[in-house]
Amino acid sequence: MTTSPSVDVVRRFNRSYTQRVGVLEESFLGPDMPLGTARLLYEIGVAPGTAHALRTRLELDSGYLSRLLRRLQDDGLVSVAPDPDDRRRRRIDLTPAGRERWDELERRSAERARRLVAPLSDRQQARLVAALAEADLLVRAATIEIATVPPGSELARRAVAEYFAEVGARIDGTGTFDVDAALAADAHRLVAPHGAFVVATSAGEPVACGGVQTLEDGSGEIKRMWVDGSWRGAGLGARLLRHLEDVARDLGHAVVHLDTNAALTEAIAMYERSGYRRVERYNDNPHATHFFAKDLTAG
Amino acid sequence: MTTSPSVDVVRRFNRSYTQRVGVLEESFLGPDMPLGTARLLYEIGVAPGTAHALRTRLELDSGYLSRLLRRLQDDGLVSVAPDPDDRRRRRIDLTPAGRERWDELERRSAERARRLVAPLSDRQQARLVAALAEADLLVRAATIEIATVPPGSELARRAVAEYFAEVGARIDGTGTFDVDAALAADAHRLVAPHGAFVVATSAGEPVACGGVQTLEDGSGEIKRMWVDGSWRGAGLGARLLRHLEDVARDLGHAVVHLDTNAALTEAIAMYERSGYRRVERYNDNPHATHFFAKDLTAG
DNA sequence: GTCATTCTCTGACTCTAGTCAGAGATCAAT
DNA sequence: ATTGATCTCTGACTAGAGTCAGAGAATGAC
């Protein structure tokens, strides 16, 4: 059996960490509440919403979720009310008693973490914290899922909204982009067979996105590329870019272009690292100052 | 609610790691075998032994363990035979079929780890590995348990055996220590009210030990101090030393002495960092070259 | 040899966790 | 208004995980 050092270390960590920290989730275990119920209560406290949203987030069977919610409701911990937007759905919120219970879970979980680090010296604690923070970022980056979605889907809208918010703040300062017009155009240009739009999600939340459209036969353009601020430095941008290049290749493009703005310095650095070369202005985008292209047939 | 940064990072890590890597132990999940059974099979493969040893290691109910073993036995995966040393106990070993199944669990678990790191670039993988290895060491160090045990107990014997093996190898080179005589003396000197012997264990295995004996009223001596080679650099020695000083204080000592050998350079450095000062030879131990003392009433 | 203890096993339980197949309400599109 | 899809809930399950109280054999201390 061949194993790489990195695989061994990950496995060793998993084994010893679960053994010592216990089934980690059991930090939620408390009086009168089984693990599943407590976990659900906790998630509701973190982000209340519809039962449907909880179901997709926690990947629960609808019958199972319904029963768990019923129990929380009977205990007076959550309130269940029809969602005004769509009365098939139910909005789930914590009651004051539920909030109190949630705080208790928080305390319990924090206490557990505190006990874990307590025996360590200050210097060791600092080392552990740095190591876990680094591991956290990388694991989260590794488990991101990249999927092609319709530009009109809710996920895509949310991602593009973040894109425009950031581009507006960093380039324009006043937010004068015509967002609606851009979205309307995307709905046609960023779908097969002319293009595609992909969103990277982490735990169901969009953390990055990008689109490919066709300039002319064999020539594509990458648009709407955005990476969430808290995810910078995890190599996500480069990975997304590679993915988009694959998409462009699948669309039959031999070369991809992209434009960007001088204010987006990290992005420009990344394009250069990824093999893009500067080219002449190829469109009349008033917000673009730098233009790049990359040959997809080489390498 | 007050939280420290280190506690927050640990909690955040726990949350995201369990969420993404799933219930980690489920890496064992495979065909025709529930999680608990697979975990047990895996542990038997890692370290076969008596049912009793497995029970303490995995903290299982004896009835539950018995049933799990029965199932593994029925499936032809483990062999159960009376322990010749103590016929109440049963020795558990993997059969060839069990070993095959164990290999499969290994493969499965490695595959899982491989998938986790696969999306990362080589540099990121290296960063993740370094972070997890560091976290692993520190978490293991943080969860060590230090307990006072009788010098004659099996745990103490094992620890002292390691101590003599190492001291013999590093100082003497030939192993001419009179181990039996030393152990016989320990059995009297390292127990209350004259002294104590403590063992630090990690997952039930001894990883460090040390004893305190009485030289004269108010004056103690630290003996048999040992830290397992793979645990160096985790601050375990300093922690054990502090623990032994507390023990000495409880025994009524105002000062503790200790002797050591010039060959044990790390130990000497640690004693100095921990506030020990060099003193004149206070005994006729032929293997000792350096002598230290520390006042326990100050600070 | 006696007696308390230790180790394992069995039977009888409880409680979670989770699945599956509908039923009934609501919505979006035509 | 009809139709097909979506969302939630209920009932009826299965299986896993674990607890608890003994019973019977073996052991160690006296």
Side-chain angles (χ1 to χ4, degrees):
Chain A
M1 185 163 68
T2 60
T3 60
S4 75
S6 56
V7 167
D8 289 342
V9 171
V10 171
R11 293 186 57 209
R12 180 158 172 214
F13 174 81
N14 282 358
R15 197 167 127 76
S16 81
Y17 202 72
T18 37
Q19 221 173 56
R20 315 212 181 222
V21 185
V23 179
L24 297 171
E25 322 183 355
E26 288 184 4
S27 44
F28 288 142
L29 270 184
D32 315 329
M33 202 182 292
L35 176 59
T37 317
R39 192 165 43 191
L40 176 60
L41 178 68
Y42 184 77
E43 289 296 333
I44 295 170
V46 168
T50 64
H52 178 254
L54 287 168
R55 227 178 56 215
T56 54
R57 213 162 88 223
L58 301 181
E59 292 181 344
L60 294 176
D61 174 82
S62 70
Y64 184 33
L65 175 65
S66 177
R67 241 176 294 272
L68 291 177
L69 284 174
R70 160 60 60 98
R71 169 155 184 187
L72 288 173
Q73 197 181 5
D74 287 351
D75 290 349
L77 300 176
V78 306
S79 64
V80 178
D83 180 357
D85 294 342
D86 180 343
R87 296 220 315 287
R88 287 170 305 181
R89 301 186 177 179
R90 314 281 231 103
R91 259 204 75 81
I92 315 293
D93 285 283
L94 291 188
T95 61
R99 176 57 59 180
E100 225 168 87
R101 197 58 158 274
W102 190 86
D103 288 340
E104 192 192 323
L105 291 179
E106 276 277 299
R107 272 196 304 278
R108 201 179 291 278
S109 162
E111 177 57 28
R112 225 179 128 74
R114 194 170 297 125
R115 281 221 201 89
L116 173 67
V117 301
L120 297 176
S121 69
D122 288 351
R123 232 182 79 240
Q124 287 175 318
Q125 284 192 24
R127 280 171 57 193
L128 178 60
V129 162
L132 288 183
E134 169 103 340
D136 184 40
L137 178 69
L138 289 163
V139 167
R140 277 159 56 221
T143 53
I144 269 172
E145 289 175 18
I146 300 180
T148 297
V149 300
S153 66
E154 199 206 327
L155 212 51
R157 283 169 180 283
R158 285 172 58 195
V160 172
E162 301 252 26
Y163 164 80
F164 278 118
E166 172 154 346
V167 168
R170 292 191 57 171
I171 300 178
D172 198 74
T174 60
T176 58
F177 286 92
D178 189 346
V179 177
D180 288 341
L183 282 172
D186 286 358
H188 293 98
R189 294 183 306 195
L190 301 186
V191 293
H194 313 297
F197 188 77
V198 306
V199 174
T201 55
S202 172
E205 294 295 301
V207 296
C209 69
V212 177
Q213 68 179 12
T214 298
L215 289 181
E216 58 190 82
D217 247 26
S219 167
E221 180 179 22
I222 288 176
K223 305 268 295 175
R224 311 264 179 271
M225 195 167 153
W226 160 79
V227 174
D228 183 278
S230 63
W231 285 84
R232 307 272 157 77
L236 183 51
R239 202 162 122 213
L240 182 62
L241 192 55
R242 276 199 307 275
H243 185 89
L244 290 171
E245 290 164 7
D246 290 342
V247 168
R249 222 174 266 117
D250 288 348
L251 288 170
H253 299 317
V255 56
V256 282
H257 295 75
L258 59 84
D259 65 23
T260 187
N261 185 282
L264 304 173
T265 50
E266 314 93 316
I268 291 174
M270 186 190 69
Y271 296 140
E272 285 170 343
R273 272 201 311 277
S274 301
Y276 285 76
R277 60 191 160 70
R278 289 284 294 271
V279 295
E280 292 296 304
R281 173 180 281 276
Y282 62 84
N283 64 21
D284 55 1
N285 178 352
H287 300 103
T289 59
H290 288 52
F291 299 79
F292 289 93
K294 179 177 181 177
D295 180 6
L296 296 180
T297 57
Chain B
M1 185 162 68
T2 61
T3 60
S4 73
S6 54
V7 167
D8 289 343
V9 171
V10 171
R11 293 186 57 208
R12 179 158 174 215
F13 175 80
N14 282 0
R15 198 165 126 75
S16 80
Y17 202 72
T18 37
Q19 220 173 58
R20 310 204 187 228
V21 185
V23 179
L24 297 172
E25 323 183 355
E26 288 185 3
S27 43
F28 288 142
L29 271 184
D32 315 330
M33 204 183 291
L35 176 58
T37 317
R39 190 164 45 189
L40 176 60
L41 179 67
Y42 184 76
E43 288 296 332
I44 294 170
V46 169
T50 64
H52 177 252
L54 286 169
R55 228 178 55 214
T56 55
R57 214 161 90 221
L58 301 180
E59 292 182 343
L60 293 175
D61 174 82
S62 69
Y64 185 33
L65 175 64
S66 178
R67 241 175 296 271
L68 291 178
L69 284 173
R70 161 60 62 97
R71 169 154 184 188
L72 289 173
Q73 196 182 4
D74 287 351
D75 289 349
L77 301 176
V78 306
S79 63
V80 178
D83 180 356
D85 295 341
D86 179 343
R87 299 219 315 284
R88 289 171 305 181
R89 302 186 176 178
R90 314 280 231 106
R91 260 203 75 82
I92 315 293
D93 285 283
L94 291 187
T95 62
R99 173 60 58 183
E100 225 168 86
R101 197 58 158 273
W102 189 87
D103 288 341
E104 192 192 325
L105 291 180
E106 277 276 300
R107 272 196 305 277
R108 199 178 291 277
S109 160
E111 178 56 29
R112 222 179 131 75
R114 193 170 299 125
R115 280 222 203 88
L116 172 67
V117 301
L120 297 176
S121 70
D122 288 351
R123 231 183 79 239
Q124 288 177 318
Q125 283 193 25
R127 278 171 59 193
L128 178 59
V129 163
L132 288 183
E134 169 104 339
D136 184 41
L137 178 68
L138 289 163
V139 167
R140 277 160 56 223
T143 52
I144 268 172
E145 290 176 17
I146 301 181
T148 298
V149 301
S153 67
E154 199 206 326
L155 211 53
R157 281 167 182 285
R158 285 171 60 196
V160 171
E162 301 253 25
Y163 164 80
F164 277 117
E166 171 155 346
V167 168
R170 293 192 55 171
I171 301 179
D172 197 73
T174 61
T176 58
F177 285 91
D178 188 345
V179 177
D180 289 342
L183 282 173
D186 286 358
H188 292 98
R189 293 183 305 195
L190 301 186
V191 293
H194 313 298
F197 188 77
V198 306
V199 174
T201 55
S202 172
E205 294 295 300
V207 296
C209 69
V212 178
Q213 68 178 13
T214 298
L215 290 180
E216 58 189 79
D217 247 24
S219 167
E221 181 180 20
I222 288 175
K223 307 267 296 176
R224 311 264 179 272
M225 196 167 153
W226 160 79
V227 174
D228 184 278
S230 64
W231 284 84
R232 306 273 158 78
L236 184 51
R239 202 161 123 216
L240 181 62
L241 192 55
R242 276 199 305 277
H243 184 90
L244 290 171
E245 289 164 8
D246 291 341
V247 168
R249 222 177 263 116
D250 288 347
L251 290 170
H253 300 317
V255 55
V256 281
H257 295 76
L258 59 84
D259 65 23
T260 188
N261 184 284
L264 305 172
T265 51
E266 314 93 317
I268 290 172
M270 186 191 69
Y271 295 140
E272 285 169 344
R273 272 200 313 279
S274 301
Y276 284 75
R277 60 192 159 70
R278 289 285 292 273
V279 295
E280 292 296 304
R281 173 181 281 275
Y282 62 84
N283 65 21
D284 54 0
N285 178 351
H287 301 102
T289 58
H290 288 51
F291 299 81
F292 289 93
K294 178 176 180 177
D295 181 5
L296 297 181
T297 58

